[in-house]
Amino acid sequence: MDPPQDSAAPPSPPAQSGGSFGIPAMLVFASIVIIASPAMVPSCWYTRNSLSILHQVPEGHVGVYWKGGALLKTITEPGFHLKMPLVTQYEPVLVTLQTDQVRNIPCGTKGGVMINFEKIEVVNKLKKEYVYETLLNYGVNYDNTWIYDKIHHEINQFCSSHSLQQVYIDVFDQIDEKMKDALQCGCTKYAPGIEILSVRVTKPIIPERIRRNYEQMEEERTKVLISIERQKVVEKESETQKKMAIHEAEKTATVSNILREQKLKEKENAMELQEIENQMFIAHQKCLADADFYSAMKEAEANKMKLTPEFLELKFIEAIANNTKIFFGHKAGTRYGFGSKATSG
């Protein structure tokens, strides 16, 4: 009998293949695949953000994260950050100025005319410190609730309480501020992290027939304004000519007054000079009179002092001596009719 054979052959060693990997090598390979997945997977945001470990937060944004659909309180600044792939999702949220354009807003005026606002721009900003609270209550698309839907509501409210004339012309310049105040009022009360900076409302589109009527009205108003402006120009020119004539008359009157005052001044100066000369002449004549009077007084005093008996006798003798004929006797000769009469004693 042949010797009994073993019931089981010893196991052969596993075949080694050049394409097989060990467990550590497979983990490294999986990590490389996960890190490189953003470039390998087609453009699917959710897939990229779920599979990637390294991600970048752009400037002007903050990074917010969800784990299993629950919003985390973690907020990251711009730069590179790490997260758990497949477990944590990430979204960049803009925290600088952004402009939301709300298009094609139909509304009916108080008179029942349907108009359409083609575009309204809302400049807003999400405050960084309110990012978590805002996204927790209203999600990433918070502006759908508080800007897009809200602006539709406010525009319709405004149109329903105003006529077409008011909306299109009279109070159109006030719509921007009214919309801004209305949006900010709601945000301040329910979403304080949203700040409305400005609202720009474009001119609404109105029915063509009404638009043509407004154009005709504007043309007529323009003609009236042109006529009024022309009238103002004519009045201004007349007023200018009147002012020029008044100015010229005032100028002539001023020159006449100046010349008259100049002549009066010259006459006054001449009168003053004449007065001075008269005073000088009077003073001179007075001096002369005083001198003559003084001389006469002195001469009289001198004569008075001379009238002594001896001086009178001397003068008498001189007077007698000067006579050429002397008659003595009681009768004077009458033949010649002249001569001195002398009496003998």
Side-chain angles (χ1 to χ4, degrees), residues 12-74:
S12 60
Q16 299 292 330
S17 173
S20 62
F21 294 92
I23 293 177
M26 292 184 67
L27 292 176
V28 172
F29 177 76
S31 300
I32 293 174
V33 169
I34 292 174
I35 293 174
S37 60
M40 298 166 55
V41 181
S43 59
C44 175
W45 172 87
Y46 181 81
T47 305
R48 290 203 307 269
N49 282 278
S50 298
L51 297 179
S52 62
I53 296 177
L54 181 66
H55 62 281
Q56 181 186 10
V57 178
E59 189 64 45
H61 296 68
V62 295
V64 294
Y65 303 87
W66 290 262
K67 181 179 288 186
L71 179 65
L72 302 179
K73 292 186 177 181
T74 303

Side-chain angles (χ1 to χ4, degrees), residues 181-222:
D181 294 340
L183 292 178
Q184 188 62 68
C185 181
C187 291
T188 302
K189 186 175 181 179
Y190 298 104
I194 304 174
E195 181 181 3
I196 307 299
L197 300 177
S198 66
V199 176
R200 296 187 292 268
V201 181
T202 58
K203 202 76 170 177
I205 299 175
I206 61 177
E208 184 66 21
R209 176 177 56 83
I210 300 177
R211 187 185 63 81
R212 287 197 299 268
N213 292 338
Y214 273 110
E215 289 179 352
Q216 293 177 358
M217 290 172 57
E218 191 65 26
E219 289 179 0
E220 295 297 328
R221 184 182 294 108
T222 303

Side-chain angles (χ1 to χ4, degrees), residues 294-328:
Y294 181 77
S295 177
M297 290 291 293
K298 289 299 182 180
E299 186 177 357
E301 290 178 0
N303 291 334
K304 186 177 181 181
M305 293 177 66
K306 290 179 181 179
L307 293 176
T308 59
E310 292 82 4
F311 180 75
L312 292 175
E313 186 178 359
L314 176 61
K315 287 297 182 181
F316 178 74
I317 295 170
E318 288 179 353
I320 293 173
N322 289 331
N323 288 329
T324 56
K325 292 182 178 181
I326 300 174
F327 298 91
F328 296 95

